[in-house]
Amino acid sequence: MPERNLPARYNICPTDTIDALIESGGKRELVPMRWGLIPNWWKKSAKEMPATFNARAETVATKPMFRDAFRRSRCLIPASGYYEWLPTSSGKQPYYYTAFDGSPLTFAGLWDEWKDIETGERVKSCTMIVTKANALAANVHDRMPVLLRPHDFDDWLAGRAHTELLKPAPDDYLQAWPVSRRVNSSRAPGDDPALIEQIAA
């Protein structure tokens, strides 16, 4: 796979473009995609698409919106971390989750390609799979992304793995800390590393 120098981004929202790793013809490629799956059979506009940026592990193999992609088009979504929000009396407080040892995270994902009915453009899109939270993540939210390890990548991309990989990460895999509420706004600058800096709880 050719190297790509990707700029750091610290505030990514659903329907933004993210990078996903796919396998085709025995080769792996990092491909820009819309975050929010649009299945190839979708007959309405992208704006009419319901929220599909997450797919639940418990139903991803059977739910019509995701089951075809689960069978034939898996992907890996790399990231340095992710956010979850804790409801508080003064509003939603974001927390940043990242690997305890500082290594990159890899989310289990699905992707598809859809032809825009309005423009005719071919649109690649993806979703990340979420599962029940582990002990650490449950302090903030009841769900968490499915985090795959390198030894799982081949089986996931090739479709040999079914749902047995879609489980919570070990309780000691991640660390988390509160960060600026500027993350709550899609208008916060995506290139600002201060968004993941720890603040007082």
Side-chain angles (χ1 to χ4, degrees):
M1 185 179 70
E3 290 187 5
R4 286 176 54 200
N5 187 17
L6 301 174
R9 298 163 66 197
Y10 301 93
N11 195 22
I12 299 173
C13 304
T15 74
D16 283 354
T17 299
I18 62 175
D19 291 281
L21 183 75
I22 65 172
E23 188 169 78
S24 179
K27 296 183 179 181
R28 292 181 180 179
E29 182 182 9
L30 198 61
V31 180
M33 297 190 187
R34 175 192 191 269
W35 181 21
L37 188 83
I38 306 178
N40 63 72
W41 48 261
W42 185 249
K43 302 300 184 184
K44 300 179 182 180
S45 70
K47 289 182 178 179
E48 295 174 276
M49 191 71 210
T52 54
F53 51 91
N54 288 340
R56 294 177 69 92
E58 297 86 347
T59 57
V60 67
T62 56
K63 194 171 183 178
M65 196 66 74
F66 303 116
R67 65 189 179 194
D68 289 347
F70 181 78
R71 284 197 298 264
R72 59 176 170 74
S73 51
R74 314 268 184 90
C75 67
L76 302 171
I77 302 172
S80 55
Y82 69 94
Y83 300 105
E84 287 293 1
W85 284 262
L86 178 68
T88 73
S89 58
S90 59
K92 290 184 178 180
Q93 172 58 54
Y95 281 73
Y96 179 67
Y97 287 79
T98 190
F100 194 82
D101 64 2
S103 61
L105 302 180
T106 303
F107 305 137
L110 310 174
W111 74 281
D112 209 341
E113 186 173 73
W114 167 75
K115 185 177 181 180
D116 191 319
I117 62 168
E118 296 175 326
T119 67
E121 176 188 5
R122 306 296 301 189
V123 177
K124 289 183 173 68
S125 61
C126 63
T127 186
M128 67 177 60
I129 301 175
V130 296
T131 188
K132 62 182 181 181
N134 65 13
L136 175 71
N139 292 324
V140 174
H141 200 277
D142 63 350
R143 310 291 294 177
M144 70 180 300
V146 172
L147 300 170
L148 298 180
R149 304 295 185 94
H151 61 263
D152 298 323
F153 293 172
D154 289 348
D155 286 344
W156 178 252
L157 289 173
R160 291 188 295 268
H162 193 59
T163 57
E164 67 275 7
L165 295 181
L166 307 182
K167 56 190 179 186
D171 292 338
D172 60 354
Y173 184 48
L174 298 172
Q175 57 183 328
W177 57 79
V179 295
S180 169
R181 293 192 181 189
R182 291 188 298 129
V183 171
N184 294 354
S185 171
S186 61
R187 294 187 294 274
D191 61 352
D192 183 2
L195 292 176
I196 62 170
E197 291 179 358
Q198 185 170 358
I199 63 168

